[in-house]
Amino acid sequence: MRRISVALSAMALAGLVSGCSTVYRSPAVKAGVSEAGKVRVVAVTPETVLVANRAAYQPKTLPAVFQISAGSGTGASPRGAGTLPNPPSTQDGSRQGLRLDPPPQADPGPYTIGTGDVVVLSTPSTQGTVAELSGLLAAQNSRNGYTVQDDGSINIPDVGRVRIAGLTVDEAEALLFQRLVESQIDPTFSLEVSEFNSRRVSIGGAVGKPGVLPITLTPLTLGEALAAAGSVSVADIDVSSVRIYRDGRMYQIPLEDLYSRSELQRLNLLAGDSVFVDTDYDLSRAERFFAQQIQLQQTTLAGRRAAIDELTAALTLRRADLDERRENFAQALKLDAVERDYVYLSGEVRTQGRYTLPFGHKATLADALFDTGGGIAKETGDASEVYVLRASDDIREFGAVTAWHLDVRNAAHLPLAAKFELRPGDIVFVAENPVTRWGRTIDQITPSLITAPVNALSD
């Protein structure tokens, strides 16, 4: 009986020894020099994070089709003079018609930007700030500025279309500043209106220079408008008058009253007003002038409608083209037909595999660890041994690897993971904890201890 026991013990020992050749060998990071190359282990600290992040890397970017809008590149279309007034009034031409009938005094309020206005982004100097705008203010040197188009927008390079029609200068400046910041441009600038084309007043009749006057940031008064038109030139002030056509109604101010009462000269003119200086009682001349203005507005407005329809069609086609190109890229991305940058997860992580570096910005170690499917396997991983393995780019150090070591047993070290930038080809490795290593060894030895004696007895 003693012989059998000794034989069994001997066979068990033989099984253990033979099983040792198949014992699980855990992967680990070891500093030193081997046939594969040199391995250097560097602790991750705030200082070494700065060193690691110096490795040159430019993230891949989305195609340009994702950076432009359907309205980019569309040109300006014809601009009109505004809405059409109602037909002119018909007052009688008798002498009693030359009576004082002024328009009510109106407060035009603050100037609001409109279609056809030209705005410029004025900077304190042409040095420094302008250079930071990456060509945004290139047109400003010649003071060409940006024209407000029919849809109320201006088209700024690298920013896109910004709708500013209907806004005051201060409101438009605040909106543009917000859009520039969103486009990662933070200039010092002020918005100026260099050409006032959206609000105008027509002046004709017995004046030195008939024409169209713009309404600017300051209200335009009747006296200022007449002076700008070359002043009144009449032979008999007693039979002359200034007639103002506004919103389908004709108002009348005899010249005698205009010159004797300063408040009449201070009347504010509104956008779309037509002013005619008449030298007799007959209203037909004034009405013909107003009719010409109406016809001009109708023709311009018709052109605006056609231009808006054309612009809408062009935007629809362009939007469809952009959508198709973006969808094609998304399909290519899904089929893995687009070249990407990857980082690889190995060791005791929840899911081993590759982590795709994002477009347009750099990812960190925390992104890879805590993304869906990543992270340290809490049952088997050793939180004291988290590594980022990075091969040297220097041909003279072929095979050399730097192992950036992070100990996250102290949760206060986790912010370092959020600062540590990953590079293509990095390998994030988490070692197994000692208990897991011993358990896996026992799992492999135990079958050998059981099967070796049995096999020996059966022989």
Side-chain angles (χ1 to χ4, degrees), residues 110-456:
Y111 185 86
T112 56
I113 299 171
T115 299
D117 286 345
V118 178
V119 299
V120 295
L121 307 184
S122 176
T123 57
S125 68
T126 58
Q127 302 292 331
T129 302
V130 175
E132 294 174 4
L133 296 181
S134 302
L136 179 65
L137 301 181
Q140 307 303 302
N141 294 333
S142 58
R143 304 291 288 180
N144 290 334
Y146 302 104
T147 301
V148 181
Q149 301 179 8
D150 279 339
D151 61 353
S153 303
I154 57 175
N155 192 16
I156 303 179
D158 300 328
V159 176
R161 301 180 72 81
V162 184
R163 181 177 178 82
I164 61 173
L167 303 181
T168 65
V169 174
D170 290 340
E171 293 170 342
E173 183 175 279
L175 175 60
L176 285 172
F177 184 86
Q178 178 182 350
R179 289 294 301 274
L180 292 176
V181 171
E182 291 172 355
S183 300
Q184 298 183 347
I185 301 172
D186 189 6
T188 300
F189 75 97
S190 61
L191 182 68
E192 298 177 2
V193 182
S194 62
E195 294 183 25
F196 297 87
N197 299 318
S198 63
R199 300 172 178 271
R200 296 177 291 184
V201 172
S202 303
I203 299 184
V207 291
K209 296 183 295 183
V212 177
L213 297 178
I215 295 179
T216 62
L217 298 179
T218 56
L220 178 64
T221 65
L222 178 58
E224 292 170 341
L226 292 174
S231 299
V232 175
S233 177
V234 296
D236 188 354
I237 191 174
D238 296 330
V239 295
S240 302
S241 64
V242 175
R243 295 189 171 106
I244 302 173
Y245 187 73
R246 174 185 297 173
D247 295 332
R249 179 177 175 183
M250 186 183 295
Y251 299 93
Q252 181 173 258
I253 303 176
L255 280 182
E256 185 177 1
D257 293 316
L258 178 65
Y259 291 143
S260 63
R261 298 173 56 177
S262 59
E263 69 272 13
L264 295 176
Q265 299 180 34
R266 294 194 299 269
L267 284 172
N268 291 327
L269 296 178
L270 305 181
D273 282 355
S274 291
V275 179
F276 189 87
V277 179
D278 208 344
T279 57
D280 53 36
Y281 299 116
D282 188 4
L283 299 180
S284 60
R285 291 178 57 195
E287 292 189 347
R288 285 195 301 271
F289 172 77
F290 297 141
Q292 291 173 354
Q293 296 299 317
I294 293 171
Q295 184 177 7
L296 175 62
Q297 290 181 359
Q298 289 174 335
T299 303
T300 307
L301 188 58
R304 287 184 60 196
R305 291 197 187 100
I308 291 175
D309 291 342
E310 182 180 351
L311 178 62
T312 301
L315 289 176
T316 301
L317 292 175
R318 185 172 178 82
R319 188 175 293 110
D321 176 63
L322 292 177
D323 290 343
E324 182 179 5
R325 289 159 63 185
R326 291 167 182 169
E327 184 177 350
N328 290 341
F329 178 80
Q331 289 294 330
L333 203 61
K334 185 182 297 183
L335 295 173
D336 202 16
V338 177
E339 184 180 359
R340 300 295 301 274
D341 292 327
Y342 300 101
V343 167
Y344 302 91
L345 304 177
S346 179
E348 301 306 316
V349 291
R350 288 200 295 269
T351 304
Q352 297 194 40
R354 67 185 186 184
Y355 170 75
T356 306
L357 294 181
F359 287 108
H361 65 91
K362 299 173 183 177
T364 65
L365 174 58
D367 294 328
L369 286 177
F370 300 112
D371 196 5
T372 303
I376 303 173
K378 61 181 180 181
E379 297 85 1
T380 61
D382 187 350
S384 69
E385 293 194 60
V386 178
Y387 297 90
V388 177
L389 308 179
R390 181 174 298 171
S392 174
D393 292 330
D394 192 339
I395 190 69
R396 296 169 296 181
E397 295 184 332
F398 183 75
V401 173
T402 300
W404 304 93
H405 175 215
L406 179 63
D407 184 351
V408 293
R409 287 177 300 179
N410 184 353
H413 293 168
L414 285 174
L416 293 174
K419 298 293 185 181
F420 191 99
E421 296 176 357
L422 297 174
R423 297 294 184 264
D426 283 354
I427 297 177
V428 179
F429 173 77
V430 180
E432 62 184 356
N433 60 46
V435 174
T436 300
R437 184 182 304 112
W438 173 247
R440 287 171 175 168
T441 302
I442 295 299
D443 287 344
Q444 288 201 334
I445 292 177
T446 301
S448 299
L449 291 174
I450 295 174
T451 58
V454 173
N455 292 336

